[in-house]
Amino acid sequence: MALRSPPKSKAIQKPGSTFQKLLKNPQVPFALALLFADAILVGLIIAYVPYTKIDWDAYMSQVTGFLEGERDYGNLKGDTGPLVYPAGFLYIYSALQHVTRGQVYPAQILFGLLYIVNLAIVLSIYVKTSVVPWWALSLLALSKRVHSIFVLRLFNDCFATTFLHAALFFLLKQKWHLGLIIFSAAVSVKMNVLLYAPALLILMLQAMDVFGVISALAGAALVQILLGLPFLLTHPVAYLSKAFNLGRVFIHFWSVNFKFVPEPTFISREFAVALLVAHLGLLTVFAHYRWCRHEGGLPSLLRLKIAELSSFSMTRFYCTSSTTKLLRTECTFIACPICCGKPRFPHCCV
């Protein structure tokens, strides 16, 4: 009769093993501590730093017109001029006006909470991608400008950026359709989020087949239609021309990056066209030589997608190429193209 071997006892975890793991990878506890410390800092800023009056009153004026029944974007105006943001902005700031009664101090508290939520999302992205050492996470809490934009100026960029980071978080988890819906929500608050769209489109083409991309884009478009429906049904031309005005001329006084350019040049159409051509050209270069290098360049990726149209299967929405495997295993492969050129992932494009 064969003797049974004694059951294997479970390995007893040593008390110091957890601490040793934290020493090897202290990103998570450090991120939590940083989040707590920054929450205290935000409270101190709200309490002791004077509020900067720029756009809040204008936002409230524009929202008041909407709440009173105005649906013509040409008639929604504030102290700083006509409304130039999509419908998502109106809904969010209408809710803020209802909760705060238009008062600045309670709005600052809400924006402080939003700042902490945004920082938590960004920290989770950094921890997941591991693109910087743990101590470098502290740099995320040292930005005077970001604190100012959130709790001293109450800009709509705060909501747009938080939605954008949330979209990136879900993209890292391969939730492409959900990520696109949240990305579209960010666009509905401020149109400049579309600057991230080219890199996002490349990633979608690499992660999904053509019909998967189309379905994800359709979901994003549906969000825009539903949010803009009250305006599209009444004054569609006014809404589209104001909320998505690609030809708007900016004020030279508020420029940061092009302050050195003379104002006549800054507001000229030729300068705008030159910047647009340079931007699209650089995007093409990056797409060809960096983002699509595993496919052999941008033309090769496009040919691959065209070839998929002839062999489409309704049971397959996600690709199985080597690049797709990289997207699923290497989070930086998703984060870097979207954040390339931004201060969040400065070394990804080297």
Side-chain angles (χ1 to χ4, degrees):
M1 182 177 178
L3 296 176
R4 292 183 179 180
S5 58
K8 295 182 180 180
S9 59
K10 293 183 179 179
I12 300 176
Q13 191 175 14
K14 295 180 179 181
S17 60
T18 302
F19 181 72
Q20 291 174 355
K21 289 181 180 179
L22 292 178
L23 287 178
K24 291 181 180 180
N25 185 21
Q27 285 187 323
V28 174
F30 185 78
L32 293 174
L34 184 64
L35 200 63
F36 178 76
D38 207 3
I40 297 176
L41 177 60
V42 167
L44 293 174
I45 292 173
I46 295 174
Y48 295 104
V49 181
Y51 159 74
T52 306
K53 182 179 179 180
I54 297 181
D55 283 341
W56 175 257
D57 290 341
Y59 291 166
M60 293 298 99
S61 297
Q62 293 162 352
V63 162
T64 299
F66 166 67
L67 293 177
E68 290 176 351
E70 181 61 66
R71 296 297 180 265
D72 186 348
Y73 249 59
N75 296 330
L76 293 174
K77 299 178 181 180
D79 298 340
T80 57
L83 176 60
V84 293
Y85 305 121
F89 160 84
L90 279 177
Y91 301 139
I92 290 174
Y93 278 83
S94 294
L96 286 174
Q97 188 189 70
H98 177 74
V99 173
T100 66
R101 304 301 179 189
Q103 300 299 310
V104 170
Y105 181 69
Q108 285 183 286
I109 296 175
L110 293 177
F111 273 80
L113 295 174
L114 179 67
Y115 172 86
I116 297 303
V117 171
N118 178 67
L119 180 61
I121 296 172
V122 174
L123 285 171
S124 66
I125 292 173
Y126 268 96
V127 170
K128 189 172 182 61
T129 54
S130 299
V131 294
V132 295
W134 64 270
W135 54 265
L137 296 176
S138 60
L139 299 176
L140 295 171
L142 298 179
S143 172
K144 178 181 178 181
R145 179 171 175 80
V146 174
H147 285 97
S148 175
I149 288 174
F150 270 84
V151 297
L152 297 180
R153 302 187 178 186
L154 314 181
F155 286 164
N156 61 335
D157 303 71
C158 306
F159 286 95
T161 303
T162 302
F163 280 132
L164 173 65
H165 291 150
L168 177 56
F169 176 81
F170 284 105
L171 294 179
L172 293 177
K173 291 182 172 294
Q174 304 298 315
K175 306 293 185 182
W176 293 93
H177 288 75
L178 178 58
L180 259 291
I181 289 174
I182 299 176
F183 179 83
S184 184
V187 174
S188 76
V189 179
K190 195 167 185 179
M191 189 184 64
N192 64 351
V193 177
L194 286 174
L195 291 171
Y196 295 85
L200 180 56
L201 178 60
I202 293 294
L203 289 171
M204 291 168 59
L205 290 172
Q206 292 171 330
M208 299 183 287
D209 63 25
V210 174
F211 292 91
V213 173
I214 292 174
S215 65
L217 292 177
L222 183 61
V223 171
Q224 295 298 322
I225 294 172
L226 292 177
L227 291 176
L229 198 60
F231 310 97
L232 293 173
L233 292 177
T234 54
H235 300 87
V237 176
Y239 175 68
L240 295 175
S241 62
K242 295 291 185 180
F244 300 96
N245 184 4
L246 298 176
R248 185 158 58 100
V249 178
F250 293 92
I251 301 174
H252 182 261
F253 177 80
W254 296 110
S255 174
V256 176
N257 297 327
F258 293 101
K259 203 73 172 181
F260 64 93
V261 178
E263 184 173 1
T265 303
F266 180 83
I267 64 176
S268 67
R269 182 174 180 82
E270 291 77 12
F271 183 67
V273 172
L275 287 179
L276 178 61
V277 171
H279 181 70
L280 294 177
L282 289 173
L283 283 176
T284 303
V285 170
F286 265 92
H288 182 71
Y289 291 103
R290 296 295 298 175
W291 303 336
C292 301
R293 64 184 183 274
H294 291 88
E295 290 85 3
L298 181 59
S300 299
L301 175 63
L302 296 178
R303 285 195 296 267
L304 177 63
K305 296 294 115 177
I306 293 174
E308 286 179 358
L309 292 174
S310 60
S311 58
F312 170 64
S313 173
M314 288 298 294
T315 61
R316 184 171 62 88
F317 275 88
Y318 293 90
C319 301
T320 57
S321 64
S322 59
T323 304
T324 306
K325 294 177 181 178
L326 278 174
L327 289 173
R328 294 175 181 174
T329 57
E330 298 291 338
C331 293
T332 54
F333 203 84
I334 296 175
C336 288
I338 294 180
C339 298
C340 189
K342 304 294 180 183
R344 302 176 188 86
F345 293 85
H347 71 282
C348 289
C349 301
V350 177

